[in-house]
Amino acid sequence: MADENEVDGAKPIEYSIEVSQCSTYEELLVAMANVQTERAELTNQLRTLHESQMAPLVYSLQRLDILGAGLTTPHQVGRDLVKTLSDASSIAGRMSQKVRQLDREQSRVQEALEYVAKTQELKSCIIAIHDATEVRDWEAAAQNVHRASMLPRSLVEGKFAEAMVPTEENPDSPSVALQEATEMFGALFMREFESAAKTKDVEKITRFFKLFPLIGKEREGLDIYAKFVCSIIASQSRQLMSSKVEGTLFFAMVISRLFENIAAIVDQHSPIVERYYGRGKMQRVIERIQLEADTQGGIILDTFFDERLITRRLSEIKSYAFSFLVQSFMGTAAANRSLSPAVGNSNNTVDGGGISSQDIDILLNETGVILGRWSLYCKFLAIKWWAQEPEIKSTGTSLKSAEESESEPRQTVSVGLAVPPILPDSKLYAKMNTRVAPAFESMATFFFRRSVEKAFQLDEYPSLIKLPAEPSPGSPLITSAIDDVMYVLNAVLERTVSTGHMHLIKNVIGNVRRVLESDLVGMIQRKMRDETYPRATTGSSDNTGLGSNININLPPQDKVNGFLLMLNNLSVATEYIERIIRNVVASVGDGKVVSVVSFGNDHEAVVAALKSLSSSFKQRVRELLNDGIQVIYVQVIKPVLRPLLHEAFKDATYIVQGSDNSTEDVEDKLSQQQADLVRLRFSYGWDSMMKPLRRILTAENYSRVLSLTSEQLSGMLERRVWAMTDRVNELGAIQLERDVAGIISHVSQGKWYFLREKFVRVAQLVMIIGLDEQELEAGGIEWVLSEEERKRASTIRIDDGATGVV
């Protein structure tokens, strides 16, 4: 095989070589042989396949021939039916074409008739316009111009109308005649409106105002009406400003009257504009009115700043040093009231810095009223503006009625009133935000901080003579500064919130919070640290109730009382602030248009700022109160509590002897030997120690002191019981439990019952001492003592036999 495939030394030929790859004649022969072989194999395969499939195909073809023969009759019937339908379709098509042609002719005739009718109407309108002009019937003339303007423009300018409409009296083409009539009537109505406006002829003003939209002069009518309205507003404003400046609220009254006049005009004339001009047209008038409000309001505010010397006042406020507060914190002259520029002055006396607090209060009140009326005016404009929008179904209300609209069913605007687009571009809006509001913020912050300073300058302590057993919840013992500061705080917050200016309210609240936390709390903290800190002094005290044979170094009573009053100041200030914030939040409203703050989410922001003020101050005071309560315990109570407990248990023995054959009751035996001596001693000393505190401290502060003292007392009792190992027998355990229970009962009596939780450990401890091993294993008790402590407690008691006690 190798010899046959080798030619002249060539390499063996591959049988699988492709024809396109052959390079020699021998390779081509081999490839062709392979092709022939494959062809023969493929032919055999196809012949086999054809033979195997031929019989089914022949059978299928025969069936098709039989079925084809059966379709001959239906085919003939279908062909006849198609011929019949084709003839009918041809007839129907011819008929339909005739009908359509007839319809076209009829519609053309109808269009021609309508065209002629409208041309006749156009002609009659032009003739009526001419006749009405002759008799000066301007309503009829305007109505006919309006009728003509409703006709198609193509008809008015068409050749047919130009040929048919002109007459000898009206030779001009219809379009020219209508244009001239419109311009003539526009100028005429303008003159008549202005003439009526000068004479204040309301009937004539209304007559010509409603004719402008009929002749296509809506914008001109609205503009001249807005001009007329603005002239009224300007005249009234000038009249108010021309009067003599009298009273502390003169400018607030003037700007309020300006806004009320605008509101009354818009409220009264909106239905007229909407009736004759359509919905939304009043917005154009409101835009022009707001421009006039910017001018007149700007004049009022500029005069207000000049007459009231606001710029000078703000400069003085900025340079005021608050010497008393600063030097008090520096500690250089802690109680020297002569540092203050206002000590001993009357309310109207000018401070050392040249500032009268009363003058600032008056200016602050007037500025607040101005901002409040501006806020109310903005809400009124928003209501009126969005009432013109078709998607907002709302009815407006006047400026005065907006304050009382809670009872009016007309008010239907939802939460989140949007600012109308005319306000952000308003000059008065910018002046209120950039000049009036910052002035109010500066004066409010200064007034509050100066009031805090003056309150501490004039601070007076309450009389502590003949105090009741418990202070009245309605009149806690505090210094006068707290009442003064809280009164001013309530006034400042209410006045600020009444402005309705969200950013201003948040800024003032932030400033007030800083003054409260830094100045008010800081002054109280300084007094607690430097003036009233209860430091112990040498010598003995005879007010402990422990007997004269025990010397205890206690702080002076005046220092203790002063410190207690400072704690009361903090606690009562927190309570007052929470109450003030609740009232102010309620006054803000529920976020609707009737509330003080109505735009967007401003309501939520203001409420959050107010609540943040209360929570922040409470957190700041809580830390200082806890430290102060700890000081009272360490400096005043702790030096007495340990000797008091020692004195109560003095000479007390808990190894009680008795006869084996005695039938006397155990309680009787115990009462004979020791009775309630421990409880009585403790009660006397406890009351002597705690009642002076209770007479001064508020219920909340006394509860804190009592809670801390009870917790420490429980630990002392527990340590004392642990130290009684081998000094308690079975009968003594009963007396010990009775004594401890008496102490606990006295401490937690009445409304202080909750303090029993502080003594759970020691109560269980003395209970275990009196129980047998079987009773301990009975269970049913929720133990707070660990298992190891319970085992240790059971070893404190000794058996009578072990000690030889009978």
Side-chain angles (χ1 to χ4, degrees):
M1 179 65 69
D3 294 337
E4 294 177 357
N5 292 333
E6 293 181 2
V7 179
D8 297 332
K11 65 179 181 179
I13 298 175
E14 307 242 6
Y15 290 103
S16 60
I17 191 170
E18 298 290 337
V19 175
S20 59
Q21 298 177 351
C22 295
S23 58
T24 62
Y25 176 73
E26 290 77 5
E27 292 176 352
L28 181 62
L29 290 178
V30 173
M32 290 297 294
N34 291 336
V35 171
Q36 290 294 333
T37 303
E38 292 178 1
R39 176 184 177 187
E41 292 177 354
L42 184 59
T43 301
N44 292 332
Q45 292 177 1
L46 291 175
R47 184 179 294 110
T48 303
L49 181 61
H50 177 266
E51 291 176 353
S52 61
Q53 298 294 328
M54 190 61 186
L57 289 175
V58 171
Y59 176 73
S60 298
L61 290 174
Q62 290 176 352
R63 291 195 62 191
L64 287 175
D65 291 340
I66 296 172
L67 294 173
L71 292 175
T72 302
T73 302
H75 175 68
Q76 184 63 36
V77 173
R79 190 159 48 189
D80 295 341
L81 184 59
V82 168
K83 184 176 181 302
T84 303
L85 294 176
S86 176
D87 295 340
S89 174
S90 177
I91 296 172
R94 290 194 298 272
M95 293 177 63
S96 176
Q97 185 178 2
K98 294 290 185 180
V99 171
R100 287 194 296 272
Q101 184 178 0
L102 183 62
D103 289 342
R104 284 196 298 271
E105 293 176 356
Q106 185 177 359
S107 63
R108 289 171 183 171
V109 171
Q110 186 64 33
E111 290 176 0
L113 291 175
E114 292 179 357
Y115 192 84
V116 171
K118 291 181 179 179
T119 304
Q120 291 177 345
E121 183 179 2
L122 175 62
K123 185 174 183 178
S124 64
C125 288
I126 293 178
I127 295 173
I129 291 171
H130 181 268
D131 295 340
T133 304
E134 292 291 334
V135 298
R136 302 180 66 82
D137 187 355
W138 309 126
E139 286 80 2
Q143 287 288 349
N144 284 284
V145 171
H146 180 66
R147 286 174 55 200
S149 65
M150 300 300 293
L151 297 174
R153 193 67 185 172
S154 59
L155 182 144
V156 176
E157 297 177 351
K159 294 182 179 180
F160 183 75
E162 292 181 357
M164 300 302 297
V165 173
T167 61
E168 293 181 0
E169 297 178 349
N170 300 290
D172 294 331
S173 63
S175 59
V176 175
L178 289 176
Q179 182 66 27
E180 291 179 352
T182 300
E183 297 299 330
M184 180 190 68
F185 290 142
L188 176 65
F189 295 165
M190 195 80 70
R191 291 194 302 271
E192 293 293 336
F193 186 94
E194 292 176 347
S195 175
K198 291 180 181 179
T199 60
K200 301 295 189 340
D201 189 345
V202 178
E203 183 178 354
K204 192 175 180 181
I205 289 173
T206 305
R207 175 191 178 190
F208 286 99
F209 175 64
K210 66 183 182 182
L211 297 180
F212 282 100
L214 297 179
I215 62 174
K217 298 289 185 179
E218 288 185 358
R219 295 175 65 88
E220 290 79 358
L222 292 173
D223 290 343
I224 194 172
Y225 173 74
K227 181 180 178 182
F228 164 67
V229 171
C230 290
S231 67
I232 297 176
I233 295 171
S235 175
Q236 294 174 341
S237 179
R238 285 193 295 268
Q239 183 179 357
L240 292 171
M241 289 297 294
S242 63
S243 59
K244 184 179 179 180
V245 179
E246 294 181 350
T248 58
L249 293 176
F250 173 79
F251 293 100
M253 180 272 295
V254 170
I255 204 165
S256 297
R257 289 289 299 276
L258 170 66
F259 294 151
E260 288 174 0
N261 292 335
I262 294 174
I265 290 173
V266 172
D267 200 36
Q268 293 171 6
H269 292 272
S270 290
I272 298 175
V273 174
E274 187 171 340
R275 176 181 177 184
Y276 295 111
Y277 286 76
R279 188 179 183 86
K281 300 300 181 180
M282 190 62 191
Q283 290 181 345
R284 185 174 180 85
V285 179
I286 294 176
E287 289 179 3
R288 301 298 188 274
I289 291 176
Q290 184 55 40
L291 293 176
E292 186 64 31
D294 291 345
T295 301
Q296 300 303 325
I299 293 173
I300 295 172
L301 291 181
D302 291 340
T303 308
F304 167 67
F305 269 75
D306 293 339
E307 290 288 335
R308 303 301 193 198
L309 304 177
I310 302 296
T311 304
R312 175 183 170 185
R313 297 295 186 191
L314 295 177
S315 178
E316 293 173 349
I317 287 172
K318 188 175 181 181
S319 61
Y320 187 79
F322 293 98
S323 302
F324 179 80
L325 291 176
V326 173
Q327 295 186 20
S328 295
F329 290 131
M330 292 175 63
T332 57
N336 186 5
R337 296 185 180 185
S338 63
L339 294 175
S340 169
V343 172
N345 294 340
S346 64
N347 291 335
N348 199 30
T349 303
V350 177
D351 299 340
I355 306 176
S356 170
S357 297
Q358 186 175 6
D359 291 343
I360 296 298
D361 185 29
I362 293 172
L363 287 178
L364 189 62
N365 185 38
E366 187 171 21
T367 308
V369 174
I370 290 174
L371 288 171
R373 301 304 286 178
W374 165 250
S375 177
L376 189 60
Y377 171 75
C378 291
K379 286 185 286 185
F380 170 81
L381 281 188
I383 294 171
K384 283 299 182 183
W385 182 272
W386 299 119
Q388 299 294 317
E389 297 293 330
E391 65 274 11
I392 303 296
K393 296 182 179 180
S394 168
T395 57
T397 183
S398 66
L399 183 65
K400 291 183 178 179
S401 62
E403 296 175 320
E404 304 170 355
S405 56
E406 291 182 355
S407 59
E408 296 186 6
R410 295 180 62 197
Q411 190 63 48
T412 57
V413 179
S414 60
V415 176
L417 186 64
V419 177
I422 60 173
L423 282 181
D425 298 330
S426 167
K427 294 181 180 179
L428 185 57
Y429 183 86
K431 187 167 292 187
M432 286 288 184
N433 289 341
T434 59
R435 194 174 185 188
V436 181
F440 181 91
E441 179 184 348
S442 299
M443 289 189 292
T445 304
F446 168 80
F447 178 71
F448 181 66
R449 193 179 186 197
R450 180 69 188 100
S451 298
V452 173
E453 182 182 53
K454 184 178 290 186
F456 281 104
Q457 287 174 277
L458 306 176
D459 195 13
E460 295 181 357
Y461 284 69
S463 175
L464 302 181
I465 302 174
K466 295 182 180 180
L467 294 176
E470 287 191 43
S472 172
S475 56
L477 293 174
I478 56 176
T479 64
S480 62
I482 298 302
D483 284 331
D484 296 341
V485 171
M486 293 302 115
Y487 176 80
V488 175
L489 172 64
N490 184 64
V492 169
L493 289 181
E494 286 185 348
R495 187 178 291 168
T496 303
V497 169
S498 67
T499 64
H501 196 293
M502 187 269 290
H503 294 291
L504 173 62
I505 296 172
K506 290 182 64 177
N507 291 342
V508 172
I509 289 175
N511 297 338
V512 166
R513 181 173 62 184
R514 285 191 290 272
V515 172
L516 286 173
E517 295 180 1
S518 62
D519 294 335
L520 176 64
V521 178
M523 284 294 293
I524 296 176
Q525 185 177 17
R526 186 197 61 77
K527 286 176 176 289
M528 294 171 65
R529 182 186 67 240
D530 301 335
E531 298 181 14
T532 63
Y533 191 87
R535 292 181 176 84
T537 58
T538 59
S540 61
S541 176
D542 58 355
N543 63 347
T544 62
L546 303 182
S548 60
N549 58 335
I550 297 179
N551 294 328
I552 301 175
N553 292 333
L554 292 177
Q557 192 61 38
D558 60 336
K559 294 289 186 180
V560 174
N561 292 343
F563 197 86
L564 296 179
L565 290 176
M566 292 302 106
L567 293 180
N568 284 355
N569 282 350
L570 292 173
S571 178
V572 172
T574 303
E575 180 183 350
Y576 282 176
I577 288 177
E578 290 179 347
R579 189 184 309 166
I580 290 171
I581 295 301
R582 283 197 301 269
N583 294 335
V584 174
V585 168
S587 70
V588 172
D590 56 2
K592 298 183 180 180
V593 172
V594 296
S595 69
V596 176
V597 185
S598 305
F599 291 110
N601 297 324
D602 292 355
H603 171 264
E604 289 78 5
V606 169
V607 172
L610 288 169
K611 293 182 178 179
S612 175
L613 168 62
S614 177
S615 60
S616 177
F617 183 81
K618 186 175 182 180
Q619 179 64 29
R620 174 76 173 87
V621 168
R622 184 186 293 114
E623 299 174 358
L624 190 55
L625 273 176
N626 292 337
D627 293 341
I629 298 299
Q630 189 70 31
V631 169
I632 289 295
Y633 173 76
V634 173
Q635 299 294 333
V636 179
I637 298 176
K638 186 177 180 180
V640 179
L641 187 60
R642 190 179 299 277
L644 186 157
L645 202 59
H646 176 77
E647 181 71 14
F649 284 94
K650 185 177 65 173
D651 300 330
T653 177
Y654 296 101
I655 299 181
V656 182
Q657 297 179 356
S659 176
D660 293 340
N661 301 323
S662 176
T663 59
E664 186 178 6
D665 186 78
V666 174
E667 293 293 333
D668 293 339
K669 183 66 175 180
L670 293 176
S671 63
Q672 291 175 7
Q673 295 189 9
Q674 188 168 325
D676 289 334
L677 187 59
V678 172
R679 183 183 63 81
L680 293 174
R681 288 173 178 172
F682 176 84
S683 301
Y684 179 73
W686 177 266
D687 292 342
S688 299
M689 177 182 65
M690 300 301 294
K691 280 184 178 180
L693 304 179
R694 188 173 183 178
R695 288 191 178 100
I696 297 177
L697 288 174
T698 62
E700 184 178 359
N701 281 341
Y702 183 72
S703 178
R704 293 191 179 101
V705 171
L706 195 57
S707 179
L708 177 60
T709 305
S710 299
E711 185 175 350
Q712 298 300 323
L713 175 61
S714 175
M716 293 180 182
L717 284 173
E718 184 178 347
R719 289 191 292 273
R720 177 172 287 273
V721 173
W722 285 119
M724 290 183 179
T725 304
D726 295 337
R727 290 188 293 166
V728 181
N729 64 1
E730 184 175 359
L731 294 180
I734 298 175
Q735 181 62 37
L736 176 61
E737 185 175 4
R738 182 177 180 180
D739 291 342
V740 172
I743 293 174
I744 297 173
S745 177
H746 185 76
V747 172
S748 59
Q749 61 183 337
K751 62 181 179 181
W752 314 113
Y753 187 82
F754 67 92
L755 293 174
R756 287 182 175 271
E757 297 179 358
K758 305 289 185 180
F759 298 93
V760 173
R761 285 182 57 86
V762 67
Q764 290 188 359
L765 180 59
V766 296
M767 181 182 66
I768 292 174
I769 296 174
L771 294 179
D772 296 332
E773 184 176 354
Q774 293 80 3
E775 293 174 326
L776 285 174
E777 295 176 354
I781 301 175
E782 186 177 351
W783 297 103
V784 296
L785 297 174
S786 64
E787 183 178 359
E788 182 179 353
E789 289 174 330
R790 295 199 299 272
K791 290 180 179 180
R792 179 186 170 192
S794 63
T795 64
I796 293 177
R797 192 186 70 188
I798 60 175
D799 295 331
D800 293 341
T803 61
V805 178
V806 179

